[in-house]
Amino acid sequence: MKYYIPLLLLSSFSMLAQQQVNDTLKPKELQEVIVIGKKAPLFEKQSKVLSSLDEYLQQSAKVDMIKRGSYAWEPIINNMATERTLITIDGMRIFGACTDKMDPITSYVEVSNLSEATIGSGQEGACFGSTIGGSIDLKRNRNQFGEKKWEVNLNSGYETNNRQKIIGTSVSYADSLFYADTDFMFRDAENYTDGNHKEIQFSQFRKMNLSTTLGYKLGQNKLVEASVIYDKATDVGYPALPMDVSLAEALISSLKLQYIPMHSFIKDWETKVYFNTITHRMDDTNRPFVPIHMDMPGWSKTYGYYSKLKAQWERHHWLLNLNAFYNQSVAEMTMYPADPTESAMFMYTWPDVRTFYQGLFLEDNYLLNCHSGIKVSASAGFHSNTVASTFGLESLQIFYPEMASPKQRFLKSLAVNYNYAKAGWEYGIGGGYGERAPSVSEGYGFYLFNSFDGFDHIGNPGLQNEKSWEGNGYIGYKKGKVGLKLSGSYFHIANYIMAQPNATLVPMTIGANGVKVYTALDYATIANVNLTADYQFTKQLKWHSQWVLSTGTDNHNDNLPFIAPFSYASSLQYYKDKFSAEIALQGNAVQTNYNAAYGEDKTPDYAIVNMSFGYKFSWYQSKLQLKAGVENVLDTYYSTYTDWNNLPRMGRNGFINVTVSF
C-alpha cells in the first residue's frame, strides 16, 4: 500500500454489502467516487499529487468551490451551497464555527490522510442526515490486518507563484492483530500574484494537520478502531473578505466497533461514537483603514454516533443507519470604537444555538435480474433547535417577540432509482423527495454582514422546512476504446430559503447597503446536465473531456446566485513505463445568467492550459516519485462565477512534488 496522493475520477458503481458466492450481480450505485489515497491503483498517473483537497473535489462534474481566498474553499454540490448539502468525515457530522463560512469541513483534513471522497447527488446522499443538494463523505486511510509490515513515506513540494512550501510524512504499521496509521502535513504559503502580475494582498496561509488511526482485532470477526485528527491553521488571509483569520483549530475524534457476523444474513455492523470541537477567530488587525476594529470568535462542538448495518437476503441488499448528533454553535462580535472613552459593543451573532438530531435511514437495493436493479431508500429524523443564551434570545426577540426558545421539526426523505447495464450500455432513472431544516445562520443569525451583496443578514426562526422534489437520469456506453456518459438532475425546491431586503431595519455594519432577513420564496428550480467522454488512442495515450451546463431560477424567473455557466475540461494523458505527461484545458463560458440583487455581476469567459510530467525511480525496496508542472501556462488573468467579489485567480504557477516511500 502506498501513501501517494492520487486522483482517479470515476463515474462508477459500488457494492454496498458483501456478496454470497452465488450472487452473480452486484448492486449498483449512482454515487461518484473520487479515489484520493493509498488504495488507488493509478497513483502514478496523477498530475499533482500534493494539491489541496479542494482542487481534487472540484474536478467532479457535480462539485464546484466558492473561493474567498487561496485556502478553505466552500464546496457546492449541484450548484447548492453548504446549507443545502451534507459533508461528513467517515460518516461524522461536523459543523464549522465561522459565520462567514471561512472554515468548511473540507478544510480540516488533508489529502494525505484520505482514501476517497464519495459524492452522492440529491437524496443519494441522505445516509447520514437530511440534505437537498447531496453529500460528500470523506473517507480516511485505513490499514488492514496482515503480515507484520512497516511503511514510511516522505512528502515534499514547492509552488512558485505563492512560494508555498509543503512537507509531510506518514508512517503505518500492521500485523495480524493491530494496525496504525499516522500522517503529518504542513503547508506555508505567501501572497499569490494574478495573471496581471499583481500581488493579491492577504492571500497567505499556514496550516498543519496531524492524523492518527489505531485498530485492534478483538476476535476473528470483530475490531475496535480509534482515530483523531488535529488541524490548525494560522495567519490565513481572505482577500475577498474584510477580515482574515488568526486561528482555525479543530480536534476530531472517534471510536468505532465493527462486527462481521459469520454465516449470517447480516454482513457488516459498524457502530461509531465521535466528538469534535472547532475554534475559529476572525481578525482585522492587519487590515489598513478599518472603520472600527472587531473581534469575531466562534466555537462549535458536536457529539454524535451512528450504527450502520448491512445485510443480504436473496436478492435484497439492505442498509440501515441509526444516527444522531448534538451540536453547540456560538459566535460573538465585539466592536471597539476608535475613541477609547467609548464603550465596546458586544453581541452574539450565533446566540449559543443547540441542535439535536436523531434519524433513521433505510435502503433496499433489490436485484431484478442479472442486468438491472432497483434501489429504494427512505429516512425520518427528529430535529430540534434551542437558543441557550438568554441575552441572545432576547436580542432575537426584538424582531420576533413571540419567538420561543425551542423549535422542533420532523424531516423525511424518499428516493427510488432504477438501473440497467448490458453489452456496454448502461442507463438509469430515479426520483426523490427530501427536506431540510434552516441552518443556524438562516434561523438564528444576528446581523451577519455578507460582503458579497453588502447587506447585514438576520435569521428567521419561524422558517418552514425546505422541501425538494428531484429527478435524475443517466445513459452511458463503454466498449473498447470509447466511453461516453450523459447524466442530469432536476430539483424543484419549495419554501426556498433566501435572504431578502427589509427596508424598515437599519444596518449595523458601517457602509452596508441595508438589512436582509431570511425568508422563503415559493419555490426555485435547479437543473444540471453533464457529459463525459473518454477515448483510448493507444495503450499509452488517453483523452478525457467533460462538459457541464446548469440553470437555476426562482418562482419569479429571476436567476439564483452561484449557478454555474457552461464549463468544460479536456485533457490528453500519456503514460509509458515510469514516465507520465499530461496537458489539460479548462474554462467557463461568459456568466450571463447572474443576479445583481445577490451581489453578482457578469463574469467573462476564460480558458487556461495546465501541463505536467512525472517519473518514478526505484531502488531496492524504496521508490521515489517526481511530479512537476505548470498551471495556467499562458499566465491568463481571470475570475470565475464562484470567486467572491471577483477575486482574481492565481497566474502562472510552477510546482514540484516529491514523494519517497520505503
Side-chain angles (χ1 to χ4, degrees):
M1 292 179 288
K2 311 289 190 297
Y3 270 69
Y4 296 99
I5 316 300
L7 171 72
L8 178 60
L9 187 59
L10 302 174
S11 295
S12 62
F13 302 107
S14 61
M15 182 171 66
L16 282 180
Q18 297 180 6
Q19 306 298 306
Q20 295 177 344
V21 175
N22 60 354
D23 189 1
T24 59
L25 178 67
K26 298 178 180 180
K28 297 182 178 180
E29 289 278 358
L30 296 178
Q31 293 177 333
E32 181 180 18
V33 177
I34 298 178
V35 180
I36 299 173
K38 58 185 180 180
K39 293 183 181 180
L42 300 178
F43 65 90
E44 299 94 340
K45 300 183 179 181
Q46 306 312 314
S47 60
K48 187 181 178 183
V49 293
L50 296 181
S51 64
S52 69
L53 177 61
D54 301 333
E55 292 174 288
Y56 278 76
L57 292 176
Q58 71 175 356
Q59 295 188 45
S60 165
K62 297 182 179 68
V63 179
D64 211 331
M65 297 284 174
I66 297 176
K67 304 166 187 68
R68 299 170 175 90
S70 58
Y71 171 76
W73 303 343
E74 178 192 355
I76 54 178
I77 308 173
N78 287 320
N79 293 279
M80 299 183 221
T82 49
E83 296 88 354
R84 295 181 174 88
T85 62
L86 182 64
I87 300 176
T88 54
I89 301 175
D90 282 332
M92 296 182 289
R93 298 294 303 268
I94 304 168
F95 297 86
C98 177
T99 56
D100 279 1
K101 300 184 180 181
M102 294 178 175
D103 65 335
I105 307 311
T106 49
S107 68
Y108 291 116
V109 289
E110 265 288 349
V111 291
S112 54
N113 53 50
L114 295 176
S115 63
E116 66 182 40
T118 302
I119 301 170
S121 178
Q123 297 312 308
E124 282 281 316
C127 179
F128 292 103
S130 60
T131 181
I132 297 293
S135 70
I136 301 175
D137 186 29
L138 304 171
K139 299 181 180 180
R140 298 172 63 203
N141 285 328
R142 176 185 172 187
N143 221 321
Q144 300 291 331
F145 299 113
E147 296 182 2
K148 184 176 180 179
K149 182 170 61 175
W150 286 91
E151 292 182 359
V152 179
N153 286 272
L154 302 176
N155 304 315
S156 63
Y158 181 77
E159 301 191 18
T160 60
N161 189 295
N162 60 352
R163 294 172 290 281
Q164 181 179 175
K165 284 76 68 178
I166 306 169
I167 187 169
T169 183
S170 61
V171 179
S172 67
Y173 170 82
D175 60 29
S176 59
L177 294 176
F178 175 78
Y179 63 76
D181 285 303
T182 62
D183 179 90
F184 172 81
M185 185 70 79
F186 176 78
R187 298 175 185 264
D188 181 82
E190 302 175 26
N191 292 333
Y192 71 83
T193 58
D194 61 25
N196 288 336
H197 308 289
K198 178 183 177 182
E199 182 177 350
I200 305 302
Q201 297 293 328
F202 313 109
S203 60
Q204 79 290 338
F205 67 89
R206 183 178 296 115
K207 170 187 169 70
M208 181 270 290
N209 182 277
L210 176 65
S211 170
T212 300
T213 302
L214 306 174
Y216 183 75
K217 184 184 288 188
L218 298 175
Q220 184 179 1
N221 57 349
K222 305 182 196 64
L223 73 88
V224 62
E225 182 182 272
S227 71
V228 63
I229 299 173
Y230 177 71
D231 187 276
K232 183 177 181 179
T234 57
D235 190 25
V236 183
Y238 287 88
L241 299 175
M243 300 186 74
D244 301 312
V245 171
S246 60
L247 175 67
E249 187 176 34
L251 177 65
I252 302 167
S253 60
S254 67
L255 182 66
K256 181 180 78 174
L257 179 65
Q258 187 172 10
Y259 172 56
I260 302 176
M262 306 293 289
H263 311 295
S264 169
F265 75 97
I266 297 176
K267 301 303 176 183
D268 188 11
W269 189 2
E270 177 182 308
T271 300
K272 177 182 290 186
V273 294
Y274 59 87
F275 167 74
N276 53 76
T277 178
I278 294 175
T279 300
H280 192 274
R281 298 184 182 278
M282 284 189 274
D283 181 15
D284 63 5
T285 55
N286 294 322
R287 294 297 182 97
F289 314 116
V290 177
I292 182 169
H293 170 62
M294 293 184 291
D295 284 336
M296 296 186 66
W299 301 269
S300 173
K301 293 182 179 180
T302 306
Y303 305 81
Y305 81 90
Y306 70 78
S307 187
K308 185 168 59 174
L309 185 148
K310 299 177 182 179
Q312 177 186 333
W313 181 71
E314 295 184 348
R315 293 174 176 265
H316 296 271
H317 295 77
W318 289 309
L319 171 63
L320 180 149
N321 187 22
L322 182 68
N323 59 94
F325 70 83
Y326 177 81
N327 171 259
Q328 177 188 17
S329 293
V330 183
E332 303 173 352
M333 180 172 69
T334 304
M335 292 186 286
Y336 301 92
D339 185 348
T341 63
E342 297 181 6
S343 300
M345 185 179 74
F346 171 86
M347 67 180 184
Y348 281 112
T349 49
W350 281 348
D352 196 359
V353 181
R354 312 290 177 92
T355 303
F356 173 74
Y357 176 85
Q358 174 69 69
L360 176 66
F361 176 84
L362 294 167
E363 179 181 282
D364 182 11
N365 209 330
Y366 181 71
L367 307 181
L368 297 172
N369 52 51
C370 61
H371 301 297
S372 62
I374 187 168
K375 185 176 70 172
V376 180
S377 64
S379 71
F382 171 78
H383 183 281
S384 174
N385 287 127
T386 303
V387 179
S389 166
T390 301
F391 177 72
L393 178 63
E394 291 174 347
S395 298
L396 283 170
Q397 286 176 336
I398 296 173
F399 305 104
Y400 309 103
E402 305 301 321
M403 170 188 172
S405 175
K407 178 69 174 181
Q408 299 175 347
R409 304 171 186 271
F410 182 67
L411 305 174
K412 48 197 175 294
S413 74
L414 176 67
V416 180
N417 291 93
Y418 170 82
N419 62 78
Y420 178 89
K422 185 178 180 181
W425 287 94
E426 62 174 5
Y427 64 85
I429 189 169
Y433 170 82
E435 298 178 352
R436 76 164 181 103
S439 67
V440 173
S441 290
E442 291 170 335
Y444 303 95
F446 191 77
Y447 279 99
L448 304 178
F449 179 65
N450 184 310
S451 62
F452 196 73
D453 61 17
F455 282 77
D456 283 334
H457 288 218
I458 295 175
N460 181 354
L463 289 170
Q464 299 299 308
N465 295 343
E466 203 172 72
K467 303 174 182 179
S468 173
W469 289 264
E470 67 174 84
N472 56 75
Y474 69 92
I475 182 169
Y477 177 78
K478 184 173 180 61
K479 197 168 185 179
K481 298 181 178 181
V482 179
L484 293 168
K485 188 171 185 179
L486 177 67
S487 59
S489 59
Y490 175 82
F491 299 86
H492 179 96
I493 307 170
N495 298 328
Y496 189 85
I497 299 173
M498 184 63 69
Q500 299 294 309
N502 187 323
T504 65
L505 302 178
V506 178
M508 186 175 296
T509 302
I510 297 174
N513 297 328
V515 177
K516 287 184 176 181
V517 177
Y518 281 101
T519 185
L521 306 178
D522 288 345
Y523 68 87
T525 60
I526 297 175
N528 308 284
V529 177
N530 64 82
L531 173 66
T532 59
D534 295 279
Y535 189 80
Q536 193 82 41
F537 291 98
T538 67
K539 186 178 179 180
Q540 294 81 24
L541 187 63
K542 181 181 179 180
W543 170 72
H544 172 78
S545 283
Q546 174 179 285
W547 301 269
V548 182
L549 179 63
S550 303
T551 63
T553 57
D554 61 20
N555 56 301
H556 300 296
N557 206 34
D558 294 326
N559 295 313
L560 297 176
F562 292 112
I563 301 297
F566 174 73
S567 64
Y568 56 90
S570 185
S571 64
L572 194 62
Q573 305 158 350
Y574 178 81
Y575 313 109
K576 185 175 183 180
D577 300 328
K578 298 181 179 182
F579 177 78
S580 63
E582 179 179 352
I583 182 169
L585 171 71
Q586 68 178 66
N588 281 354
V590 178
Q591 170 63 301
T592 56
N593 297 324
Y594 62 91
N595 192 325
Y598 299 116
E600 293 188 307
D601 55 16
K602 184 178 180 179
T603 305
D605 60 337
Y606 81 93
I608 61 170
V609 177
N610 302 321
M611 300 178 64
S612 67
F613 70 91
Y615 196 84
K616 293 187 301 177
F617 302 88
S618 301
W619 68 95
Y620 298 103
Q621 300 297 317
S622 302
K623 292 183 179 181
L624 182 148
Q625 179 180 242
L626 171 68
K627 291 285 186 178
V630 180
E631 299 171 310
N632 193 0
V633 174
L634 303 179
D635 207 14
T636 302
Y637 178 88
Y638 71 105
S639 179
T640 78
Y641 79 104
T642 56
D643 292 314
W644 201 262
N645 289 329
N646 301 121
L647 176 71
R649 295 284 190 94
M650 187 179 291
R652 184 184 297 116
N653 178 45
F655 69 87
I656 182 169
N657 295 163
V658 179
T659 303
V660 181
S661 62
F662 50 90

